[in-house]
mmCIF file of all heavy atoms in Angstrom:
data_model
loop_
_atom_site.group_PDB
_atom_site.id
_atom_site.type_symbol
_atom_site.label_atom_id
_atom_site.label_comp_id
_atom_site.label_asym_id
_atom_site.label_seq_id
_atom_site.Cartn_x
_atom_site.Cartn_y
_atom_site.Cartn_z
ATOM 1 N N THR A 5 193.496 62.857 306.459
ATOM 2 C CA THR A 5 193.995 63.692 307.555
ATOM 3 C C THR A 5 195.413 64.166 307.304
ATOM 4 O O THR A 5 195.905 65.052 307.991
ATOM 5 C CB THR A 5 193.950 62.903 308.872
ATOM 6 O OG1 THR A 5 194.723 61.699 308.725
ATOM 7 C CG2 THR A 5 192.522 62.524 309.226
ATOM 8 N N GLN A 6 196.059 63.581 306.292
ATOM 9 C CA GLN A 6 197.432 63.957 305.978
ATOM 10 C C GLN A 6 197.454 65.319 305.291
ATOM 11 O O GLN A 6 196.711 65.582 304.361
ATOM 12 C CB GLN A 6 198.038 62.885 305.056
ATOM 13 C CG GLN A 6 199.451 63.169 304.585
ATOM 14 C CD GLN A 6 199.945 62.072 303.653
ATOM 15 O OE1 GLN A 6 199.578 60.918 303.802
ATOM 16 N NE2 GLN A 6 200.750 62.438 302.695
ATOM 17 N N ARG A 7 198.296 66.207 305.722
ATOM 18 C CA ARG A 7 198.392 67.540 305.143
ATOM 19 C C ARG A 7 199.414 67.542 304.007
ATOM 20 O O ARG A 7 200.488 66.952 304.115
ATOM 21 C CB ARG A 7 198.812 68.570 306.184
ATOM 22 C CG ARG A 7 198.001 68.553 307.458
ATOM 23 C CD ARG A 7 196.520 68.740 307.227
ATOM 24 N NE ARG A 7 196.207 70.046 306.665
ATOM 25 C CZ ARG A 7 194.980 70.442 306.360
ATOM 26 N NH1 ARG A 7 193.968 69.628 306.518
ATOM 27 N NH2 ARG A 7 194.773 71.655 305.877
ATOM 28 N N ILE A 8 199.043 68.167 302.913
ATOM 29 C CA ILE A 8 199.948 68.306 301.780
ATOM 30 C C ILE A 8 200.878 69.485 302.046
ATOM 31 O O ILE A 8 200.425 70.543 302.495
ATOM 32 C CB ILE A 8 199.156 68.524 300.473
ATOM 33 C CG1 ILE A 8 198.096 67.418 300.313
ATOM 34 C CG2 ILE A 8 200.076 68.565 299.274
ATOM 35 C CD1 ILE A 8 198.643 66.024 300.276
ATOM 36 N N PRO A 9 202.192 69.354 301.785
ATOM 37 C CA PRO A 9 203.109 70.487 302.009
ATOM 38 C C PRO A 9 202.644 71.742 301.283
ATOM 39 O O PRO A 9 202.199 71.685 300.137
ATOM 40 C CB PRO A 9 204.436 69.965 301.445
ATOM 41 C CG PRO A 9 204.332 68.471 301.551
ATOM 42 C CD PRO A 9 202.889 68.150 301.307
ATOM 43 N N ASP A 10 202.730 72.892 301.984
ATOM 44 C CA ASP A 10 202.335 74.181 301.417
ATOM 45 C C ASP A 10 200.901 74.168 300.900
ATOM 46 O O ASP A 10 200.571 74.778 299.886
ATOM 47 C CB ASP A 10 203.288 74.576 300.271
ATOM 48 C CG ASP A 10 204.728 74.685 300.732
ATOM 49 O OD1 ASP A 10 204.947 75.152 301.860
ATOM 50 O OD2 ASP A 10 205.626 74.297 299.964
ATOM 51 N N GLU A 11 200.008 73.481 301.612
ATOM 52 C CA GLU A 11 198.628 73.340 301.154
ATOM 53 C C GLU A 11 197.902 74.674 301.093
ATOM 54 O O GLU A 11 196.962 74.848 300.320
ATOM 55 C CB GLU A 11 197.892 72.364 302.067
ATOM 56 C CG GLU A 11 196.586 71.857 301.489
ATOM 57 C CD GLU A 11 196.003 70.728 302.309
ATOM 58 O OE1 GLU A 11 196.360 69.576 302.047
ATOM 59 O OE2 GLU A 11 195.192 71.018 303.213
ATOM 60 N N ASN A 12 198.320 75.629 301.888
ATOM 61 C CA ASN A 12 197.682 76.940 301.879
ATOM 62 C C ASN A 12 197.911 77.674 300.563
ATOM 63 O O ASN A 12 197.240 78.667 300.279
ATOM 64 C CB ASN A 12 198.189 77.788 303.044
ATOM 65 C CG ASN A 12 197.703 77.266 304.389
ATOM 66 O OD1 ASN A 12 196.636 76.655 304.476
ATOM 67 N ND2 ASN A 12 198.484 77.487 305.441
ATOM 68 N N ASP A 13 198.869 77.191 299.761
ATOM 69 C CA ASP A 13 199.131 77.810 298.460
ATOM 70 C C ASP A 13 198.128 77.375 297.407
ATOM 71 O O ASP A 13 198.108 77.919 296.304
ATOM 72 C CB ASP A 13 200.548 77.461 297.980
ATOM 73 C CG ASP A 13 201.623 78.072 298.860
ATOM 74 O OD1 ASP A 13 201.313 79.074 299.542
ATOM 75 O OD2 ASP A 13 202.748 77.548 298.868
ATOM 76 N N TYR A 14 197.316 76.374 297.725
ATOM 77 C CA TYR A 14 196.368 75.848 296.744
ATOM 78 C C TYR A 14 195.038 76.596 296.841
ATOM 79 O O TYR A 14 194.514 76.823 297.938
ATOM 80 C CB TYR A 14 196.140 74.347 296.970
ATOM 81 C CG TYR A 14 197.350 73.500 296.646
ATOM 82 C CD1 TYR A 14 198.287 73.188 297.622
ATOM 83 C CD2 TYR A 14 197.552 73.024 295.356
ATOM 84 C CE1 TYR A 14 199.401 72.417 297.328
ATOM 85 C CE2 TYR A 14 198.660 72.249 295.056
ATOM 86 C CZ TYR A 14 199.582 71.957 296.041
ATOM 87 O OH TYR A 14 200.678 71.190 295.737
ATOM 88 N N CYS A 15 194.482 76.944 295.682
ATOM 89 C CA CYS A 15 193.188 77.640 295.669
ATOM 90 C C CYS A 15 192.016 76.668 295.715
ATOM 91 O O CYS A 15 190.869 77.072 295.931
ATOM 92 C CB CYS A 15 193.089 78.548 294.443
ATOM 93 S SG CYS A 15 193.272 77.726 292.858
ATOM 94 N N LEU A 16 192.294 75.377 295.505
ATOM 95 C CA LEU A 16 191.246 74.360 295.588
ATOM 96 C C LEU A 16 191.816 73.121 296.266
ATOM 97 O O LEU A 16 192.839 72.593 295.841
ATOM 98 C CB LEU A 16 190.729 73.989 294.194
ATOM 99 C CG LEU A 16 189.810 72.762 294.098
ATOM 100 C CD1 LEU A 16 188.507 72.984 294.871
ATOM 101 C CD2 LEU A 16 189.507 72.416 292.637
ATOM 102 N N VAL A 17 191.152 72.677 297.328
ATOM 103 C CA VAL A 17 191.514 71.438 298.020
ATOM 104 C C VAL A 17 190.221 70.683 298.316
ATOM 105 O O VAL A 17 189.279 71.244 298.875
ATOM 106 C CB VAL A 17 192.270 71.708 299.342
ATOM 107 C CG1 VAL A 17 192.537 70.398 300.068
ATOM 108 C CG2 VAL A 17 193.570 72.450 299.086
ATOM 109 N N ALA A 18 190.179 69.411 297.912
ATOM 110 C CA ALA A 18 188.984 68.604 298.146
ATOM 111 C C ALA A 18 189.396 67.177 298.476
ATOM 112 O O ALA A 18 190.353 66.651 297.894
ATOM 113 C CB ALA A 18 188.079 68.619 296.914
ATOM 114 N N SER A 19 188.676 66.553 299.402
ATOM 115 C CA SER A 19 188.986 65.188 299.820
ATOM 116 C C SER A 19 187.732 64.326 299.806
ATOM 117 O O SER A 19 186.642 64.781 300.162
ATOM 118 C CB SER A 19 189.591 65.176 301.230
ATOM 119 O OG SER A 19 190.818 65.860 301.265
ATOM 120 N N LEU A 20 187.919 63.072 299.397
ATOM 121 C CA LEU A 20 186.853 62.076 299.389
ATOM 122 C C LEU A 20 187.383 60.786 299.985
ATOM 123 O O LEU A 20 188.524 60.396 299.712
ATOM 124 C CB LEU A 20 186.383 61.791 297.955
ATOM 125 C CG LEU A 20 185.371 62.727 297.308
ATOM 126 C CD1 LEU A 20 185.248 62.399 295.830
ATOM 127 C CD2 LEU A 20 184.013 62.594 297.976
ATOM 128 N N ASP A 21 186.572 60.100 300.768
ATOM 129 C CA ASP A 21 187.008 58.799 301.269
ATOM 130 C C ASP A 21 186.631 57.665 300.321
ATOM 131 O O ASP A 21 187.027 56.519 300.525
ATOM 132 C CB ASP A 21 186.468 58.531 302.678
ATOM 133 C CG ASP A 21 184.954 58.571 302.752
ATOM 134 O OD1 ASP A 21 184.307 58.631 301.686
ATOM 135 O OD2 ASP A 21 184.407 58.555 303.873
ATOM 136 N N ASN A 22 185.861 57.979 299.271
ATOM 137 C CA ASN A 22 185.503 56.986 298.256
ATOM 138 C C ASN A 22 185.520 57.669 296.893
ATOM 139 O O ASN A 22 184.606 58.417 296.546
ATOM 140 C CB ASN A 22 184.125 56.393 298.542
ATOM 141 C CG ASN A 22 183.748 55.282 297.556
ATOM 142 O OD1 ASN A 22 184.511 54.947 296.649
ATOM 143 N ND2 ASN A 22 182.576 54.701 297.736
ATOM 144 N N VAL A 23 186.557 57.426 296.118
ATOM 145 C CA VAL A 23 186.743 58.138 294.857
ATOM 146 C C VAL A 23 185.641 57.827 293.855
ATOM 147 O O VAL A 23 185.369 58.617 292.949
ATOM 148 C CB VAL A 23 188.132 57.807 294.273
ATOM 149 C CG1 VAL A 23 188.163 56.380 293.721
ATOM 150 C CG2 VAL A 23 188.524 58.798 293.183
ATOM 151 N N ARG A 24 184.967 56.675 294.025
ATOM 152 C CA ARG A 24 183.910 56.319 293.080
ATOM 153 C C ARG A 24 182.729 57.276 293.159
ATOM 154 O O ARG A 24 181.946 57.382 292.203
ATOM 155 C CB ARG A 24 183.451 54.876 293.307
ATOM 156 C CG ARG A 24 184.508 53.838 292.977
ATOM 157 C CD ARG A 24 183.916 52.445 292.811
ATOM 158 N NE ARG A 24 183.274 51.971 294.017
ATOM 159 C CZ ARG A 24 183.909 51.353 295.017
ATOM 160 N NH1 ARG A 24 185.221 51.177 294.947
ATOM 161 N NH2 ARG A 24 183.252 50.922 296.073
ATOM 162 N N ASN A 25 182.584 57.988 294.266
ATOM 163 C CA ASN A 25 181.524 58.991 294.369
ATOM 164 C C ASN A 25 181.751 60.145 293.402
ATOM 165 O O ASN A 25 180.816 60.879 293.065
ATOM 166 C CB ASN A 25 181.438 59.526 295.802
ATOM 167 C CG ASN A 25 180.844 58.517 296.749
ATOM 168 O OD1 ASN A 25 180.197 57.556 296.335
ATOM 169 N ND2 ASN A 25 181.062 58.709 298.049
ATOM 170 N N LEU A 26 182.989 60.319 292.954
ATOM 171 C CA LEU A 26 183.304 61.335 291.953
ATOM 172 C C LEU A 26 183.356 60.739 290.557
ATOM 173 O O LEU A 26 182.770 61.280 289.618
ATOM 174 C CB LEU A 26 184.643 61.995 292.282
ATOM 175 C CG LEU A 26 185.192 63.006 291.257
ATOM 176 C CD1 LEU A 26 184.227 64.184 291.097
ATOM 177 C CD2 LEU A 26 186.576 63.499 291.680
#
Side-chain angles (χ1 to χ4, degrees):
T5 57
Q6 177 181 327
R7 309 303 296 179
I8 307 301
D10 301 323
E11 195 171 272
N12 291 332
D13 294 338
Y14 291 91
C15 58
L16 169 63
V17 176
S19 297
L20 277 170
D21 58 9
N22 184 0
V23 73
R24 293 197 299 274
N25 287 342
L26 175 61

